[in-house]
Amino acid sequence: MLSVRHLTKTYPNGKKGLQDVSFTAAPGTVTAVIGPSGAGKTTLLRSLNRLITPEQGTVTLGDQELRGADAQALRQARRQIGMIFQDYNLIEPLSALENVLQGCLGQKRLLPGVLGLYTKAETSHALALLDEVGLRAYAAQKTRDLSGGQKQRVGIARALMQDPKVLLCDEPIASLDPQSTRTVMTIIADLAKARNLIVVMNLHQVGIAREFADHIVGVNAGRIVFDDNAAALTELAAAAIYEKEATALA
Amino acid sequence: MISNPELTADSLQPAKLTPTPRPRLRAKRPARALLLALVAITGYTLTTLAPHGVDLGAASLTFLRNLRLMFLQPHLGQETFAQLSQALLLTVALALLTTLIGAGLAFFLALITARNLAPRSLGDVMRSVMALIRAVPTILWVLVYATVIGLGTEAAVVGLSFHSVAYLTKAFAEAIEEVPKEKLDALRASGAGFWLTVRHAVWPLVRQRLLAWTFIRFEINFANAVAVGAAAGTGGIGYYLFMASAFYFDFQEVGLIVLMILVFAAGLEMIAVRMRKSLLTGN
């Protein structure tokens, strides 16, 4: 279980990124975080693996608390948290296979890691993951030559290479066409069930969130204004999440 | 009633459109005056600089004859071709060594200078120190070290490397800063530490650019290595050039040495053009 309690983040310019945010995400489910632009969705997601450090609150994965963890403990915790990004963040001069292999760097010793020496088992695992996302034939291809949807699938395979307990997805379909959107969302939803993953995902599209998520968290102005099952997200509730007035009500 | 004496009927009229001064013309005026003064000084100097006893026509002819001797009739003088080739190799070796030392050190210094990798305050300090070192010309650094170590190869190696480090640190740090923070975050988020992030995210994205900068610095160091050959007693082709010109006045040998340097520099330029092309096409 991923448990977030009373998370608060204020940026140096005084802007409130998160205000007393609490929710839980269960294994084998997809939690979609929705809300207007600038609502704090990315801040929330990046606080979960401490790419952003909140001032207050706790993020607990199993029995491990992340917000107060030291550098070593944080690196260990991050190995259990895979992440995919809106712009994929692949290393484009490298092949799809090399990008996927990077997912296991957090578990490697420094010298073999720096020398880029991967074991046969690691390479086989990476190839199997590329197969799982339907890109086995593109293993040797430079990722700069792949389409957006293919890049995102390489990103998913890279995250899975960590063998994570949690998968964080920061706007994973924002740069994709409708067909690639459905492919990527289907892969993520299936993975959550098949691997018992805790998936937390930022989304803009309410319809997609309803269709693929089990649990929806609505955020506005850094506060949670909705936290329920996907089925409970009525048109009215969705409108309230995206309304500016919701800020005042919250 | 208008109590303010300044607010009279006249002052309440719509403001008359007065032509605003043209600042560009104004700014040009001192520049134009300076130019005129310089032209006047040059004219006066040229007309009053009487080259007593020198026949300008004959001197120009001699100059052209010397150029012809240098470049159309190059010839060996005091040294054999093997000696000159060996000296050229020594100069190339000096340029290569100082470039490699510079690039190696600069890579690690760039990691603590680039804003997306190092703390901002450390980056600012590094940037200032490197700017200070770069502000002094390479040849002066060689002479500074020559006073400590003594004239010779050691001073040249240290001096050339010293300036190369400062030059390449700036160039490398700027190349590294172009790596988007999100790409680094992707590796950090997987638990990879600093060195693994540098090796697997920074290095593949910047290596071509670093190589191109290193090559540019090699070209600069080659030119500097020729100069310090004479100025700092390092030897190499620069030393023979100095001897042939200042000691023996052997224009044919000067011409041969200059042509040897030109051929090598042209070869370097050809490689540089290819590298730039491959950089642009991303291969």
Side-chain angles (χ1 to χ4, degrees):
Chain A
M1 190 73 86
L2 178 73
S3 174
V4 176
R5 287 284 165 269
H6 311 298
L7 223 49
T8 299
K9 170 73 186 172
T10 308
Y11 285 106
N13 62 6
K15 191 194 166 199
K16 298 271 186 188
L18 298 174
Q19 299 184 65
D20 196 24
V21 166
S22 301
F23 72 94
T24 54
T29 63
V30 175
T31 299
V33 181
I34 61 170
S37 296
K41 300 191 297 293
T42 298
T43 305
L44 173 57
L45 204 76
R46 286 175 168 246
S47 297
L48 301 184
N49 62 353
R50 237 180 76 184
L51 284 177
I52 290 174
T53 306
E55 301 96 52
Q56 285 174 28
T58 58
V59 177
T60 315
L61 176 60
D63 54 359
Q64 194 170 16
E65 206 285 300
L66 269 70
R67 197 188 67 85
D70 61 24
Q72 180 69 22
L74 179 65
R75 270 207 297 277
Q76 277 175 357
R78 280 176 171 173
R79 290 170 195 162
Q80 303 174 56
I81 305 173
M83 189 165 188
I84 62 172
F85 303 83
Q86 176 182 344
D87 296 320
Y88 328 118
N89 289 338
L90 302 175
I91 306 301
E92 305 223 328
L94 301 183
S95 70
L97 178 64
E98 286 170 309
N99 270 282
V100 175
L101 281 166
Q102 290 191 344
C104 69
L105 285 173
Q107 287 142 28
K108 287 188 86 68
R109 284 170 181 272
L110 184 63
L111 192 62
V114 166
L115 295 176
L117 300 174
Y118 298 103
T119 63
K120 276 186 182 173
E122 286 165 344
T123 309
S124 306
H125 188 202
L127 286 169
L129 289 171
L130 279 172
D131 202 20
E132 201 171 335
V133 295
L135 290 176
R136 177 67 182 78
Y138 296 86
Q141 196 145 336
K142 299 258 188 279
T143 46
R144 64 171 167 232
D145 299 328
L146 300 179
S147 71
Q150 288 170 329
K151 284 178 185 174
Q152 195 56 289
R153 284 189 272 161
V154 173
I156 293 170
R158 179 177 63 182
L160 293 179
M161 190 70 194
Q162 290 173 234
D163 201 11
K165 290 180 180 166
V166 180
L167 184 63
L168 304 178
C169 311
D170 191 8
E171 308 274 6
I173 52 169
S175 308
L176 303 182
D177 61 69
Q179 195 185 340
S180 300
T181 293
R182 298 202 72 78
T183 310
V184 167
M185 287 304 299
T186 306
I187 289 173
I188 293 172
D190 290 349
L191 283 170
K193 303 281 179 290
R195 292 175 174 252
N196 205 29
L197 278 174
I198 301 167
V199 176
V200 183
M201 172 185 301
N202 284 350
L203 279 178
H204 263 305
Q205 300 91 328
V206 177
I208 295 285
R210 270 205 202 99
E211 186 178 348
F212 289 96
D214 305 288
H215 174 205
I216 291 178
V217 173
V219 184
N220 193 317
R223 288 180 187 275
I224 288 194
V225 292
F226 181 90
D227 182 2
D228 209 333
N229 292 326
L233 185 72
T234 59
E235 290 298 326
L236 199 64
I241 294 169
Y242 282 87
E243 265 180 12
K244 283 188 179 161
E245 289 75 37
T247 310
L249 290 171
Chain B
M1 187 169 174
I2 299 167
S3 58
N4 187 341
E6 286 177 15
L7 288 176
T8 60
D10 281 344
S11 72
L12 289 170
Q13 292 297 318
K16 284 177 187 168
L17 286 174
T18 48
T20 50
R22 298 169 71 177
R24 285 184 67 195
L25 269 181
R26 265 192 181 179
K28 274 184 180 174
R29 225 171 271 166
R32 215 173 272 178
L34 184 68
L35 187 69
L36 279 175
L38 286 173
V39 168
I41 291 167
T42 309
Y44 174 78
T45 313
L46 280 176
T47 49
T48 54
L49 187 79
H52 297 293
V54 175
D55 180 351
L56 276 177
S60 302
L61 277 178
T62 312
F63 173 68
L64 289 174
R65 205 177 302 130
N66 285 343
L67 276 183
R68 194 190 66 199
L69 266 179
M70 281 170 70
F71 295 111
L72 299 179
Q73 298 166 336
H75 205 280
L76 285 168
Q78 303 289 320
E79 289 78 25
T80 62
F81 188 72
Q83 276 177 308
L84 289 182
S85 301
Q86 200 181 351
L88 181 63
L89 272 180
L90 182 75
T91 304
V92 173
L94 179 62
L96 194 65
L97 177 69
T98 52
T99 307
L100 288 178
I101 293 173
L105 290 174
F107 177 72
F108 291 102
L109 292 175
L111 297 179
I112 55 169
T113 307
R115 290 190 179 97
N116 51 355
L117 288 178
R120 199 177 177 83
S121 53
L122 180 61
D124 288 346
V125 170
M126 288 297 298
R127 220 170 283 274
S128 308
V129 172
M130 294 301 148
L132 208 65
I133 295 171
R134 278 197 320 276
V136 179
T138 312
I139 210 88
L140 282 185
W141 280 120
V142 174
L143 294 176
V144 165
Y145 282 107
T147 59
V148 183
I149 310 171
L151 278 173
T153 320
E154 292 87 351
V157 169
V158 177
L160 286 178
S161 302
F162 198 63
H163 198 277
S164 300
V165 168
Y167 179 94
L168 289 175
T169 297
K170 178 178 188 280
F172 287 3
E174 282 174 3
I176 291 170
E177 279 169 4
E178 285 184 28
V179 175
K181 194 176 169 292
E182 290 73 27
K183 302 247 181 208
L184 306 178
D185 281 347
L187 254 77
R188 283 181 188 140
S190 71
F194 178 81
W195 290 110
L196 291 176
T197 306
V198 167
R199 165 65 182 84
H200 292 278
V202 175
W203 176 248
L205 291 169
V206 302
R207 63 185 168 198
Q208 279 184 320
R209 199 163 295 179
L210 301 198
L211 196 65
W213 275 115
T214 306
F215 197 80
I216 290 168
R217 186 64 208 189
F218 177 58
E219 284 183 298
I220 296 170
N221 277 355
F222 177 68
N224 285 331
V226 172
V228 298
T234 314
I237 199 79
Y239 172 73
Y240 288 115
L241 184 63
F242 173 69
M243 293 302 281
S245 58
F247 263 72
Y248 304 120
F249 300 108
D250 186 343
F251 291 114
Q252 286 178 297
E253 189 174 15
V254 168
L256 179 70
I257 292 171
V258 170
L259 285 174
M260 284 173 80
I261 293 171
L262 273 178
V263 167
F264 185 78
L268 283 187
E269 189 55 34
M270 278 168 65
I271 299 170
V273 167
R274 281 192 175 188
M275 281 177 70
R276 252 173 251 139
K277 268 188 190 166
S278 77
L279 195 69
L280 285 175
T281 53
N283 292 319

